[in-house]
Amino acid sequence: MSGLIKRGKGTFHFRMRVPKEYVGVAGKTEIHRTLKTDSARQAAELVPAMRKGILDELEALKLLQDQPNSADAYRAAQDIVKKRGLNYLPSQSLLLAPLEETLVRFEKLAEEDDVGVARALLGGVEEPGLRLSELVGTVEEFCAHDNKHKNDDQLRKWRNPRKRAVRNLMKSIGKKDILVSEIEAALVQKHKMFWQKKVSSGKTKPDTANKDFILMRSMLSAHYESIGMTEPPKPYQGIGIKKDRYEKPNRKLEIPVNWMTEKWFAPDALDGINDEAIDILLISIETGCRQSEISNLPPHAIVLDLRSRTFISKWKKGTSVAKLRIQPLKGWYPSSVSLWQQPNGTLKDFQSIVGIAIIPTQ
């Protein structure tokens, strides 16, 4: 096979010409690597993986050279170290580690390795300098796939609590826009104390504070995943404020039926409201769904069950949230649902539930 070399009765070596775009980082035109076997068959089987590994390493070294401060370069450094059987350690952490840890990394350096590999093994590639004020935007970009079905209003509701959590952390540390990598246990405790004062004064509830901590924990996890950190710090792990055991549960009461009848079903009560808003209100009354759940249903989340004459709205991983019976409500009914009574099958875009369905002839 092309690229295989064997000297006498020794082991096979793989020889590969360096592609032009990598000559600058490799510092040579050919690369030789031992396959550590004297079997021609086994050597031939090892060649494809060896070639791919060399090309991956050359690409990583090119990133380290061309974009030394980028997230891609940081991931590349971690990949180089991982392929040597180790976890990436920043130089500061390596200085505090046992001497044996550093010696192992020197032993992993091969004679043909260049300075880029040495930098990666010895933790010389710094984590990208992301500021707290940039965290939400970076996480939103990384989570674009998860949020692709959200509309503008849902994205706003996803984004705003996270921005608020970051602002509260910055307030607790003197409004400093620090690097995300600087978030450590001492700063997290300041964030917790910030909320403890508010909870102790009765201005807020523990749940509000804990939501801040949960959002910060998830954003940091997403950020470290985005840069490929295999063992990221977890400064918010286990952070929370306990609820007051003596606090009486405070539950919002349901709207009385008489009030709904008098206010919502009174003559001309809904005059001046557009048809879509009326539909949403009436479907909410009938099903118990939140109005946002009705108005923001994506197209694939509505199913028409012909046998039971119900619309089944599926929300959050296919869980059935509510069933909408196709019938008038006290003389009122959503305009879209009233098509059930049409004499011929009708195709309509349902404004309130953002779905399309065929209403069959009865």
Side-chain angles (χ1 to χ4, degrees), residues 39 68 119 154 164 191 194 198 200 215 219 224 259 294 305 337-338 342 351:
S39 165
R119 279 183 61 208
Q154 290 170 317
R164 188 161 51 247
H191 192 188
F194 167 85
K198 288 182 175 291
S200 298
L215 290 174
M219 284 192 291
Y224 286 126
W259 189 93
I294 301 164
D305 188 335
V337 175
S338 69
Q342 295 293 327
Q351 295 179 351

Side-chain angles (χ1 to χ4, degrees), residues 188-198 213 241:
V188 172
Q189 285 301 322
K190 288 183 178 180
H191 192 188
K192 183 177 179 179
M193 290 172 62
F194 167 85
W195 277 111
Q196 281 179 327
K197 291 179 181 178
K198 288 182 175 291
F213 304 145
I241 296 177

Side-chain angles (χ1 to χ4, degrees), residues 240-259:
I241 296 177
K242 293 182 179 179
K243 296 181 180 180
D244 184 354
R245 69 177 69 180
Y246 301 109
E247 182 181 1
K248 295 180 180 179
N250 184 16
R251 179 175 170 273
K252 289 183 179 179
L253 298 176
E254 296 83 359
I255 299 175
V257 175
N258 290 339
W259 189 93

Side-chain angles (χ1 to χ4, degrees), residues 130-141:
L130 185 72
R131 295 281 172 181
L132 261 178
S133 58
E134 303 167 323
L135 179 60
V136 176
T138 301
V139 171
E140 183 175 351
E141 184 178 346

